[in-house]
């Protein structure tokens, strides 16, 4: 009994004392924002046809559908072309800023608004990855996804090194004040459902209270309690992302088991024969002609999807299946021409990546970045004659060649 109570106490201490998975949530943030940003940029020439006034799914039809399910979208507030372009630009900008981690708390909300506005405008466009982005965009709002690998983290580190308080930031309160003004206008005009209005008001009030307590009473009981609540919300959202990913794989795997083509090992053969899912017809035809390979891919897909939730009980098994799942999504991106679906699923899978691997990957990326920066500075520091300029000091043991007279 005492052991159980001690174990429970340690668990409560763990989830209330810190926000877990900082690197995992950062990777999910980067992957999700990057996937949506790439999608928006690729479909930029077709944006009017997919979500705008030129699409076959007209504004009046979308409004009739949304009136029945109370979905949130800014594009139902007006059918003007200028308004659509503004919302699309907001979605692109919020995705880019969330990707680099600039004011992640604000950008995560704007990112969610952009995702919901476009996807709910036309729910008949998508390849399955849009559903993953839709859900994760909502969950990401509740996480502290900018603790590491973000401009916010770098700014906080510089403020700490300079001895400045983090509450001295001005851009954040200005952004939230602008959001509050917009929310007041939306509430007065009544253009959004009460459920979504309540959600946004709770977010705004919670952020304002946390900021005010940290500024007026740092280290006080009320501030500590607000931090505990923030940790609980973050950890709860992180758990929901993990459970959601497991449910996606479990339901997909168990539904596949019930299909006769998955049972006889030929299911992978048929999508390889579809012209709309064959960006590389030669490669697809070659793989479809290998009966044993098709059998292994079919059964392997079912096995990994069904076994993945159970593999979480063992760290090594989880890592092996996680690598297989990501490899499978990369194969889907290449063979079936579904890159954004694959990237969305890989972003969701990243929540299970081990911290050791993420630290190694982050270090490798940082070294690669520093190498590129050094080479760029070396190139930019060279004069027209091809030798280093006067502004580039020589390193230890290095002498600058004499300039020709």
């Amino acid at each position: 009994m005492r052991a159980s109570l001690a174990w429970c106490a340690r668990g409560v201490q763990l989830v209330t004392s810190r926000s877990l998975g900082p690197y995992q949530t950062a990777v999910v943030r980067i992957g999700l924002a990057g996937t949506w940003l790439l999608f928006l940029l690729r479909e930029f020439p077709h944006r009017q046809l997919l979500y705008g006034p030129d699409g076959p799914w007209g504004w009046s039809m979308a409004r009739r559908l949304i009136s029945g399910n109370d979905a949130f979208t800014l594009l139902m507030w007006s059918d003007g072309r200028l308004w659509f372009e503004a919302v699309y630009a907001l979605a692109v900008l919020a995705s880019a800023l969330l990707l680099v981690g600039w004011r992640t708390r604000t950008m995560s909300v704007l990112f969610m608004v952009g995702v919901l506005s476009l996807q709910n405008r036309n729910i008949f466009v998508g390849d399955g990855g849009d559903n993953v982005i839709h859900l994760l965009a909502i969950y990401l709002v509740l996480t502290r996804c900018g603790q590491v690998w973000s401009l916010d983290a770098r700014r906080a580190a510089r403020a700490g090194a300079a001895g400045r308080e983090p509450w001295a930031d001005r851009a954040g309160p200005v952004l939230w004040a602008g959001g509050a003004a917009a929310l007041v206008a939306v509430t007065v005009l009544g253009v959004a459902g009460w459920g979504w209005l309540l959600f946004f008001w709770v977010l705004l009030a919670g952020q304002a209270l946390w900021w005010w307590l940290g500024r007026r009473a740092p280290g006080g009981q009320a501030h500590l309690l607000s931090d505990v609540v923030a940790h609980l919300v973050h950890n709860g959202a992180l758990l929901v992302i993990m459970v959601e990913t497991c449910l996606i794989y479990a339901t997909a795997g168990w539904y596949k088991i019930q299909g006769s083509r998955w049972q006889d090992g030929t299911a992978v053969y048929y999508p390889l024969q579809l012209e709309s899912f064959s960006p590389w017809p030669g490669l697809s035809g070659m793989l479809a002609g290998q009966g044993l390979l098709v059998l292994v891919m079919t059964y392997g897909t079912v096995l990994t999807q069904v076994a993945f939730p159970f593999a979480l009980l063992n760290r090594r098994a989880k890592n092996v299946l996680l690598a297989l799942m990501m490899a499978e999504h990369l194969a889907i991106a290449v063979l079936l021409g579904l890159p954004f679906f694959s990237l969305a699923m890989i972003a969701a899978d990243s929540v299970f990546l081990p911290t050791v691997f993420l630290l190694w990957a982050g270090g490798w990326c940082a070294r690669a970045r520093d190498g590129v920066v050094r080479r760029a500075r070396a190139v930019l520091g060279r004069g027209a004659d091809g030798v280093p300029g006067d502004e580039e000091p020589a390193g230890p043991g290095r002498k600058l060649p004499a300039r020709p007279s």
Side-chain angles (χ1 to χ4, degrees):
M1 184 66 179
R2 291 182 179 179
S4 300
L5 291 176
W7 184 85
C8 292
R10 286 194 298 269
V12 172
Q13 172 68 17
L14 180 65
V15 299
T16 57
S17 60
R18 61 191 178 97
S19 297
L20 302 174
Y23 293 96
Q24 286 77 5
T25 51
V27 171
V28 172
R29 183 200 84 230
I30 294 171
L32 194 64
T35 300
W36 184 242
L37 178 62
L38 290 175
F39 174 80
L40 294 178
L41 294 179
R42 193 196 71 168
E43 300 298 343
F44 186 80
H46 316 291
R47 64 191 186 283
Q48 296 283 353
L49 186 63
L50 293 176
Y51 304 110
D54 298 338
W57 185 247
W59 188 82
S60 59
M61 292 188 292
R63 186 176 183 85
R64 193 182 313 159
L65 177 63
I66 290 175
S67 63
N69 57 19
D70 293 328
F72 176 83
T73 171
L74 299 180
L75 294 178
M76 287 295 98
W77 298 359
S78 172
D79 60 348
R81 190 177 299 271
L82 182 60
W83 176 249
F84 168 77
E85 296 294 350
V87 173
Y88 201 93
L90 172 67
V92 172
L93 181 62
S95 302
L97 294 179
L98 183 64
L99 175 66
V100 298
W102 186 80
R103 317 295 173 180
T104 52
R105 180 67 65 187
T106 306
M107 290 306 124
S108 63
V109 177
L110 295 180
F111 175 79
M112 180 193 69
V113 169
V115 169
L116 297 182
S117 296
L118 292 175
Q119 290 189 354
N120 289 335
R121 170 62 176 82
N122 187 357
I123 63 174
F124 303 103
V125 179
D127 52 15
D130 56 318
N131 294 327
V132 178
I133 296 175
H134 192 108
L135 293 172
L136 293 186
I138 298 175
Y139 303 150
L140 202 64
V141 172
L142 304 177
T143 65
R144 288 179 161 180
C145 55
Q147 297 179 93
V148 296
W149 295 343
S150 66
L151 296 180
D152 289 349
R154 187 177 70 171
R155 185 180 67 253
R158 289 180 175 178
R164 299 193 305 268
E165 291 292 336
W167 316 107
D169 171 53
R170 295 180 180 179
V174 170
L175 287 172
W176 281 94
L183 191 56
V184 169
V186 170
T187 304
V188 172
L189 295 175
V191 292
W194 285 105
W196 283 104
L197 284 177
L198 179 62
F199 176 74
F200 286 121
W201 275 115
V202 169
L203 283 178
L204 180 65
Q207 180 68 17
L209 179 61
W210 177 81
W211 179 85
W212 184 83
L213 290 175
R215 185 178 180 87
R216 296 298 181 183
Q221 294 295 327
H223 181 222
L224 294 177
L225 179 60
S226 67
D227 260 348
V228 168
V229 174
H231 293 320
L232 285 173
V233 172
H234 167 92
N235 295 329
L238 182 62
L239 178 62
V240 170
I241 294 175
M242 299 170 70
V243 172
E244 183 70 34
T245 305
C246 290
L247 287 176
I248 291 174
Y249 286 126
T251 53
W254 285 106
Y255 272 111
K256 286 182 174 64
I257 288 178
Q258 303 175 43
S260 59
R261 294 294 177 260
W262 292 97
Q263 293 174 7
D264 60 28
T266 62
V268 173
Y269 170 83
Y270 296 99
L272 294 175
Q273 299 300 308
L274 296 176
E275 183 179 355
S276 57
F277 289 98
S278 298
W280 313 98
L283 179 60
S284 299
M286 181 186 67
L287 292 177
Q290 304 295 322
L292 180 60
L293 182 59
V294 169
L295 180 69
V296 171
M297 293 172 64
T298 302
Y299 286 154
T301 299
V302 176
L303 178 63
T304 52
Q305 291 183 349
V306 172
F308 181 75
F310 303 100
L312 298 179
L313 301 176
N314 183 278
R315 181 176 301 178
R316 292 183 178 179
K318 181 261 295 183
N319 292 337
V320 170
L321 284 184
L322 191 60
L324 292 175
M325 297 298 299
M326 290 186 172
E328 177 188 340
H329 290 306
L330 292 176
I332 291 174
V334 175
L335 296 176
L336 301 183
L338 298 172
F340 299 109
F341 166 78
S342 299
L343 289 175
M345 288 307 305
I346 290 175
D349 294 342
S350 300
V351 74
F352 296 106
L353 287 174
T355 303
V356 174
F357 171 78
L358 292 176
L359 290 174
W360 172 84
W364 183 85
C365 291
R367 290 190 296 272
R369 178 203 61 197
D370 294 341
V372 171
V373 171
R374 282 196 300 269
R375 285 192 292 270
R377 287 178 176 175
V379 171
L380 295 175
R382 293 180 182 276
D385 52 5
V387 297
D390 294 335
E391 69 278 7
E392 182 184 12
R398 173 187 169 201
K399 294 183 178 180
L400 292 176
R403 291 184 180 273
S405 58

